[in-house]
């Protein structure tokens, strides 16, 4: 039995990199996971993972993702991992590209943790925001 047995988690940016590794570890430790990514991979949802395609900067989409926590289960853990980078020369950058990075990497984290915290409070308090 894993340390997350019986727990439910949500991981953003779950399709690759750190988010994918976090998702895999949580499942290995027994968690049910809502995996969120802007472009969800073409993977079948299984008993332990439910994929949701959502933009972390969209509060309605993220609130919908939180609602997909299976049935009456509480949300125990939320990992706000989604992020983007833009590798370019400073002079080639634009305010729009910088704002997109800030929107996803800062506002997206706030939106994710906000909707998760509201769910955790509604579930009776407790949980972990990462």
């Amino acid at each position: 039995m894993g340390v997350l047995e019986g727990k439910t988690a949500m991981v953003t940016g779950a399709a690759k990199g750190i988010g994918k590794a976090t998702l895999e570890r949580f499942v290995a430790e027994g968690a049910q996971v809502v995996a969120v990514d802007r472009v969800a991979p073409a993977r079948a949802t299984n008993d332990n993972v439910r994929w949701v395609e959502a933009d972390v900067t969209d509060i309605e989409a993220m609130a919908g993702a939180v609602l997909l926590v299976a049935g009456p289960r509480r949300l125990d853990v939320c990992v706000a991992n989604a992020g983007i980078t833009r590798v370019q020369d400073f002079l080639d950058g634009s305010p729009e590209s910088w704002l997109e990075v800030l929107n996803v990497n800062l506002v997206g984290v706030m939106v994710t943790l906000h909707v998760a915290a509201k769910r955790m409070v509604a579930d009776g308090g407790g949980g972990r925001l990462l």
Side-chain angles (χ1 to χ4, degrees):
M1 175 149 70
V3 297
L4 295 175
E5 193 72 36
K7 303 291 184 185
T8 303
M10 182 169 74
V11 179
T12 66
K16 59 185 175 181
I18 293 169
K20 180 180 177 187
T22 302
L23 163 69
E24 291 170 352
R25 181 59 184 258
F26 281 16
V27 169
E29 293 293 337
Q32 299 289 315
V33 181
V34 176
V36 180
D37 208 279
R38 184 171 25 179
V39 178
R43 298 180 192 167
T45 298
N46 63 41
D47 290 340
N48 297 323
V49 180
R50 185 165 192 174
W51 282 95
V52 177
E53 195 166 297
D55 180 342
V56 295
T57 66
D58 182 338
I59 196 160
E60 290 179 14
M62 290 307 295
V66 168
L67 287 175
L68 288 177
V69 172
R73 299 179 67 93
R74 56 180 280 122
L75 180 60
D76 300 293
V77 180
C78 178
V79 180
N81 170 73
I84 61 171
T85 60
R86 296 287 180 256
V87 179
Q88 58 194 29
D89 289 334
F90 180 75
L91 295 177
D92 293 333
S94 68
E96 293 79 18
S97 66
W98 302 331
L99 287 171
E100 181 185 19
V101 170
L102 290 173
N103 200 29
V104 172
N105 296 356
L106 296 176
V107 175
V109 170
M110 188 283 303
V111 166
T112 299
L113 297 180
H114 177 80
V115 298
K118 287 180 82 166
R119 171 66 190 256
M120 289 173 179
V121 169
D123 287 342
R128 300 290 182 263
L129 300 172
L130 307 169

